[in-house]
């Protein structure tokens, strides 16, 4: 059974990789010109689709890795390195710039058709970082009950994300540019520490240390 520390670690990891405060201004840019009802529909559908994608990886990600002959230790090392890169981007304000470029490209190509699927659900919500974090956490939550706990954590984080998107305009006004920068950097440092721990755990598992 998962410990309280494991649950806290899972919640922190998912919250940081999903980054609701950082996604809020991008969501506003994606839905510019929409009514409050339309924004709510996009936010709800995007959150549900994102939850579905991450749940699939939580349940079957490790099995897929096994079929490919990839050990959980190796994936922890690779996933930890990927999360460390994301934390690097967050600390040095590169991730927000990349998210904004993704949203701008989507507006140009798709003309805001089905924004909830692309780019909101994929890749802004269920992106490489969130998927990697989910599979890594699934390696810790191994029993059926633990997996149910992990899925509950993902559902809770998606609820927080959904509420954040609904309050995006107000949150963006309260935080401002400086507030967003400070919060993103703090979360980035925290994610860096968590990613290093994933690499350490992966090395131990891979070399039976």
């Amino acid at each position: 059974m998962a410990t309280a520390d494991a649950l806290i670690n899972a919640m922190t990891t998912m919250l940081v990789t999903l980054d609701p405060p950082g996604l809020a201004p991008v969501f506003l840019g994606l839905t510019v010109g929409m009514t409050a009802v339309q924004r709510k529909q996009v936010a709800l559908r995007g959150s549900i689709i994102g939850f579905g994608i991450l749940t699939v990886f939580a349940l079957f990600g490790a099995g897929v890795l096994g079929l490919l002959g990839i050990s959980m230790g190796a994936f922890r090392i690779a996933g930890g390195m990927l999360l460390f890169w994301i934390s690097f981007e967050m600390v040095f304000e590169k991730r927000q710039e990349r998210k904004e470029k993704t949203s701008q490209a989507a507006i140009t190509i798709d003309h805001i058709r089905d924004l909830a699927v692309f780019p909101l659900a994929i890749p802004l919500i269920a992106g490489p970082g969130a998927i990697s974090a989910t599979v890594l956490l699934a390696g810790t939550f191994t029993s059926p009950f633990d997996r149910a706990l992990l899925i509950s954590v993902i559902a809770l984080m998606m609820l927080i994300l959904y509420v954040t998107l609904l309050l995006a305009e107000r949150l963006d006004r309260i935080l401002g540019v400086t507030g967003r920068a400070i919060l993103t950097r703090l979360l980035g440092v925290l994610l860096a520490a968590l990613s290093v721990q994933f690499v350490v755990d992966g090395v131990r598992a891979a070399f039976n240390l």
Side-chain angles (χ1 to χ4, degrees), residues 137-157:
L137 291 169
T140 305
F141 292 74
T142 52
S143 71
F145 180 74
D146 287 348
R147 288 290 170 86
L149 284 177
L150 178 58
I151 292 171
S152 298
V153 168
I154 295 172
L156 176 61
M157 294 304 107

Side-chain angles (χ1 to χ4, degrees), residues 44-59:
L44 179 60
R45 190 176 182 202
S47 300
I48 291 174
I49 293 172
F51 170 74
I53 293 170
L54 295 182
T55 297
V56 168
F57 276 95
L59 294 174

Side-chain angles (χ1 to χ4, degrees), residues 45-97:
R45 190 176 182 202
S47 300
I48 291 174
I49 293 172
F51 170 74
I53 293 170
L54 295 182
T55 297
V56 168
F57 276 95
L59 294 174
F60 306 111
V64 173
L65 291 179
L67 289 175
L68 295 175
I70 301 172
S71 69
M72 183 53 67
F75 190 83
R76 281 176 179 163
I77 295 172
M81 293 172 68
L82 175 61
L83 293 179
F84 185 83
W85 175 252
I86 292 174
S87 70
F88 178 86
E89 288 185 325
M90 291 173 71
V91 172
F92 293 98
E93 288 192 327
K94 299 293 183 183
R95 194 185 190 203
Q96 191 67 18
E97 179 182 336

Side-chain angles (χ1 to χ4, degrees), residues 1-121:
M1 180 176 175
T3 63
D5 287 343
L7 283 173
I8 293 172
N9 181 54
M11 286 188 285
T12 303
T13 302
M14 292 308 303
L15 186 62
V16 172
T17 51
L18 289 172
D19 187 21
L23 191 56
V26 178
F27 177 74
L28 288 177
L30 284 171
T31 57
V32 64
M34 290 187 181
T35 64
V37 173
Q38 290 171 329
R39 277 181 173 166
K40 183 177 180 180
Q41 291 173 345
V42 172
L44 179 60
R45 190 176 182 202
S47 300
I48 291 174
I49 293 172
F51 170 74
I53 293 170
L54 295 182
T55 297
V56 168
F57 276 95
L59 294 174
F60 306 111
V64 173
L65 291 179
L67 289 175
L68 295 175
I70 301 172
S71 69
M72 183 53 67
F75 190 83
R76 281 176 179 163
I77 295 172
M81 293 172 68
L82 175 61
L83 293 179
F84 185 83
W85 175 252
I86 292 174
S87 70
F88 178 86
E89 288 185 325
M90 291 173 71
V91 172
F92 293 98
E93 288 192 327
K94 299 293 183 183
R95 194 185 190 203
Q96 191 67 18
E97 179 182 336
R98 177 164 52 81
K99 281 184 176 181
E100 289 170 356
K101 285 182 179 178
T102 301
S103 66
Q104 290 167 4
I107 291 172
T108 302
I109 296 170
D110 293 343
H111 303 289
I112 319 182
R113 289 178 301 181
D114 217 355
L115 285 176
V117 179
F118 178 83
L120 184 57

